[in-house]
Amino acid sequence: MTSIESPLPEKAANFIRNIVTEDLKSGKHRLVVTRFPPEPNGYLHIGHAKSICLNFGLAGDFGGRCHLRFDDTNPAKEEIEYEDSIKENVSWLGFNWGEHLHYASDYFEELYRHAVALIEKGLAYVDSLSAEEIRGLRGTLNEPGQESPHRGRPVEENLELFRGMREGEFPDGAHVLRLKIDMASPNLNLRDPVIYRIKKVEHHRTGAVWCIYPMYDYAHCISDSIEGITHSICTLEFEDHRPLYDWVLDALQLPCHPQQIEFARLNLSYTVMSKRKLLELVQEKLVDGWDDPRMPTLVGLRRRGFTPASIRAFCETIGVGKSDSFIDMGILEDAVREDLNVRAPRAMAVLRPLKVVIEGYPAGETELFDAANHPADPAMGTRQVPFCDTVYIERDDFQEEPAKGFFRLAPGREVRLRYAYIVRCESVLKDADGEIVEIRCSYDPGSRGGSAPDGRKVKGTIHWVSARHAIEAEVRLYDRLFSTPNPGGKNEPDYRSSLNPKSIETLAGCRLEPSLEGAEGESRYQFERLGYFCLDSRDARPGQQVFNRTATLRDSWSEQKR
Ligand code: ATP
Ligand code: MG
């Protein structure tokens, strides 16, 4: 494969980049420290890639560092499988956390100590109401909440109860620890949020050591502070949580107080990105696993043939803003086209073969034609493509009664076989059902290489493979998983009802030029005139190649709309 890197778009300014630039200029920070904080409860998707590129990208561009921190505060839901896949995805995208692989669970002891400090300051209390009762007293956006009868518990009693919670003296749900902020706050997040709950569940990293676990809002800001994060970048839905983020750090008077900055999450048309929906798609076998090439997961995109560079370029193209919007799937597809156009070697493949016998061509003879691996990049070299008296062409490159504007093969007409000869259709053979089974052509021996000796014009050029030398393969034509831009949105009962019935078409018996026989790993090609294809990393075997279509050559979806 080639090592050509397609150019990344210029790094555009955005409001977060401006804040960082300012903070370095003013001396507020000398080093930028960001983090990507996934919860290991699912596979990463293209939305996460936006956050990864932003956090790692900023740190990289400003000579700082970015941590990978697993937000593993919820013991019931997390799994090692997800952690491994997240690490692999981040590396695959081209980012490196160096020594800074962290886990919120590493801070459990420190988080506990801080909670005790908050109790001692009279800023936290143990509440013994049930979750339902707490919810009942929380109030609404228009009505203030009401204080819990346990809010006035003396510090000593709170300390004793919290210690007992840690020691496992109480069953799940018996008590929680809450911050004492303001039950009348217009911001619901500040109405005495719960910061610890009892959960007698083993944690995949800390085992049975803990039976109380901190809540996200509490653990996240302190984890950021412990790690010396300067800019804590998150999505817009956390804007209302920022006062709580700041409240906790102020209350504890921690020396490092990161700045939380919110940006608009990525929403992509023609797909879904909620973890719940992605999990349902997998569990209900509506797709073939997390790495189904139609999934917006990074493992899916990778198997589909997306390159890390194309995903980074996409994230750079869409930019970073403050208002939620939808990005068209076409932009992601364009990003991979643009990248593969530069780096993918060309090859010839016939997906729906039609046999063409070339009359007059010496039987048993093989000729080798030089074919450029890339039309615009001689450094990618050439390969030899064998030719013999029988070739396969694409079924739809022949029309018995050619439509207006059809310049390919038809009875009595000439067409150029790319790199080889000009051929003329002399006869058509059909089976008992009237199905065309074979085309007979004559050829112009003087047109070797493709140009007619007398300079006559031949409009059409088509691709082909030699029947005797071709390898057989399976090719999977993937298309968008959903056929509406906002699956499950307005006027759609459920996102499942918008699944695109044509999102996969599996073609067996495709014929590929023999140079593809040895393709390995994640080899990507442009199959001439057809699109970009990637070897299927899971199902391809030596002698039994399987290719996935990454993208068509052009955006057929926007053409449909026109
Ligand atoms: P959950 O609802 O389970 O929290 P999540 O998608 O937020 O789901 P996380 O593992 O918490 O999953 O996400 C890790 C990081 O990725 C967070 O900082 C989150 O803000 C960011 N992120 C998640 N989805 C998107 C998205 N669509 N666009 C941009 N960033 C995202
Ligand atoms: Mg989250």
Side-chain angles (χ1 to χ4, degrees):
M1 291 292 303
T2 166
S3 61
I4 297 179
E5 289 286 327
S6 52
L8 259 188
E10 276 279 299
K11 294 262 174 151
N14 63 55
F15 77 100
I16 300 183
R17 188 168 277 271
N18 294 344
I19 293 173
V20 170
T21 309
E22 248 339 282
D23 288 350
L24 291 171
K25 209 163 89 189
S26 72
K28 180 178 174 190
H29 299 297
R30 282 176 39 223
L31 190 75
V32 187
V33 186
T34 56
R35 84 286 169 269
F36 174 63
E39 189 178 341
N41 65 348
Y43 282 79
L44 297 184
H45 53 60
I46 184 72
H48 293 114
K50 177 176 180 181
S51 175
I52 294 169
C53 290
L54 178 58
N55 280 294
F56 280 93
L58 276 174
D61 293 346
F62 289 95
R65 60 174 205 260
C66 180
H67 299 184
L68 174 60
R69 182 200 312 141
F70 286 110
D71 162 28
D72 59 350
T73 48
N74 190 358
K77 287 201 299 191
E78 286 132 16
E79 285 178 37
I80 302 273
E81 175 196 350
Y82 296 131
E83 273 185 23
D84 290 344
S85 143
I86 289 170
K87 283 192 265 185
E88 191 173 317
N89 286 168
V90 174
S91 304
W92 177 72
L93 276 178
F95 299 110
N96 184 356
W97 54 86
E99 303 160 2
H100 292 281
L101 175 61
H102 301 295
Y103 295 83
S105 57
D106 287 347
Y107 310 135
F108 279 172
E109 191 61 48
E110 205 162 341
L111 290 164
Y112 179 83
R113 269 198 289 108
H114 286 311
V116 169
L118 289 171
I119 296 174
E120 285 168 345
K121 291 181 185 206
L123 295 175
Y125 62 97
V126 172
D127 198 347
S128 311
L129 295 181
S130 67
E132 206 176 315
E133 289 166 323
I134 290 177
R135 217 174 305 125
L137 294 178
R138 199 165 175 235
T140 64
L141 281 176
N142 308 314
E143 275 173 61
Q146 292 165 49
E147 293 184 356
S148 160
H150 307 292
R151 197 176 201 257
R153 262 183 179 144
V155 168
E156 284 313 312
E157 192 180 328
N158 282 323
L159 287 173
E160 182 51 27
L161 282 169
F162 190 48
R163 187 203 53 77
M165 284 166 67
R166 175 181 183 163
E167 299 300 322
E169 292 169 12
F170 309 111
D172 285 14
H175 306 287
V176 293
L177 186 69
R178 298 179 73 176
L179 295 177
K180 196 188 275 190
I181 308 182
D182 180 5
M183 287 308 291
S185 170
N187 184 337
L188 271 73
N189 295 301
L190 295 181
R191 292 185 187 169
D192 291 10
V194 171
I195 60 168
Y196 267 96
R197 68 234 190 278
I198 303 171
K199 219 172 187 179
K200 295 196 165 159
V201 176
E202 288 206 6
H203 184 282
H204 73 280
R205 295 195 81 243
T206 57
V209 170
W210 292 91
C211 65
I212 55 171
Y213 292 96
M215 302 297 285
Y216 175 84
D217 278 331
Y218 173 74
H220 194 75
C221 55
I222 299 176
S223 304
D224 279 350
S225 173
I226 291 171
E227 293 178 18
I229 302 299
T230 55
H231 301 85
S232 176
I233 301 167
C234 60
T235 39
L236 279 179
E237 68 272 21
F238 288 99
E239 198 164 13
D240 288 346
H241 297 238
R242 187 179 351 122
L244 176 54
Y245 185 103
D246 290 333
W247 188 95
V248 171
L249 296 182
D250 288 340
L252 289 167
Q253 293 172 297
L254 294 182
C256 168
H257 189 137
Q259 180 184 2
Q260 176 178 311
I261 307 170
E262 309 86 17
F263 72 101
R265 67 193 299 113
L266 168 66
N267 299 306
L268 195 60
S269 63
Y270 295 95
T271 191
V272 295
M273 271 195 280
S274 119
K275 278 183 187 166
R276 176 181 62 82
K277 290 177 186 166
L278 295 176
L279 185 64
E280 284 169 1
L281 288 169
V282 172
Q283 286 178 338
E284 295 169 23
K285 301 211 181 315
L286 297 168
V287 295
D288 176 29
W290 287 101
D291 66 349
D292 184 301
R294 294 165 294 177
M295 289 281 270
T297 51
L298 295 179
V299 285
L301 290 167
R302 179 175 181 176
R303 206 173 142 206
R304 174 83 168 248
F306 277 72
T307 55
S310 67
I311 293 176
R312 291 195 302 265
F314 167 73
C315 292
E316 192 56 37
T317 305
I318 59 175
V320 178
K322 268 249 166 224
S323 54
D324 275 315
S325 63
F326 265 85
I327 299 291
D328 196 276
M329 179 64 94
I331 297 181
L332 179 62
E333 293 162 347
D334 275 344
V336 77
R337 275 187 199 105
E338 227 167 275
D339 187 42
L340 292 180
N341 183 36
V342 175
R343 75 169 77 223
R346 274 46 175 174
M348 292 202 286
V350 172
L351 302 188
R352 297 176 180 87
L354 174 60
K355 192 171 169 188
V356 175
V357 174
I358 295 155
E359 295 173 328
Y361 191 85
E365 184 161 323
T366 298
E367 253 181 296
L368 295 172
F369 292 103
D370 278 331
N373 289 333
H374 196 290
D377 183 8
M380 283 174 74
T382 59
R383 67 195 188 284
Q384 294 199 309
V385 186
F387 180 84
C388 72
D389 68 349
T390 308
V391 300
Y392 289 109
I393 66 167
E394 217 60 71
R395 265 191 182 272
D396 62 8
D397 279 336
F398 176 80
Q399 286 187 2
E400 195 170 16
E401 286 161 36
K404 197 162 169 274
F406 182 83
F407 296 116
R408 292 164 275 164
L409 200 60
R413 289 224 194 143
E414 282 191 317
V415 80
R416 181 181 298 102
L417 296 179
R418 182 137 163 93
Y419 303 117
Y421 292 103
I422 294 170
V423 298
R424 177 198 306 276
C425 173
E426 304 293 350
S427 57
V428 179
L429 274 60
K430 298 182 181 174
D431 64 11
D433 301 328
E435 186 81 20
I436 298 173
V437 291
E438 188 180 308
I439 306 290
R440 295 272 163 121
C441 288
S442 57
Y443 82 113
D444 178 350
S447 67
R448 191 178 195 282
S451 35
D454 56 2
R456 72 183 184 280
K457 273 231 163 85
V458 174
K459 266 201 172 157
T461 300
I462 62 174
H463 63 275
W464 53 273
V465 293
S466 157
R468 201 147 26 117
H469 305 89
I471 58 165
E472 247 185 84
E474 178 177 314
V475 175
R476 298 170 185 165
L477 301 181
Y478 289 107
D479 201 347
R480 295 178 183 177
L481 185 54
F482 293 92
S483 45
T484 60
N486 186 12
K490 257 195 215 149
N491 305 326
E492 292 175 26
D494 181 74
Y495 70 94
R496 295 175 187 82
S497 60
S498 305
L499 279 164
N500 175 7
K502 296 193 191 120
S503 61
I504 176 171
E505 184 180 357
T506 303
L507 301 175
C510 305
R511 301 296 206 285
L512 314 181
E513 64 167 72
S515 72
L516 298 178
E517 185 159 21
E520 289 176 326
E522 290 168 342
S523 301
R524 302 176 180 89
Y525 298 90
Q526 185 195 98
F527 289 170
E528 294 205 34
R529 300 177 60 231
L530 298 173
Y532 297 99
F533 292 78
C534 177
L535 195 68
D536 189 90
S537 50
R538 198 189 66 190
D539 298 338
R541 304 267 176 284
Q544 209 189 322
Q545 300 290 49
V546 178
F547 279 92
N548 298 327
R549 183 171 69 196
T550 310
T552 51
L553 289 178
R554 276 175 298 278
D555 180 358
S556 55
W557 284 75
S558 71
E559 276 164 22
Q560 274 172 26
K561 270 188 263 163
R562 262 181 234 136

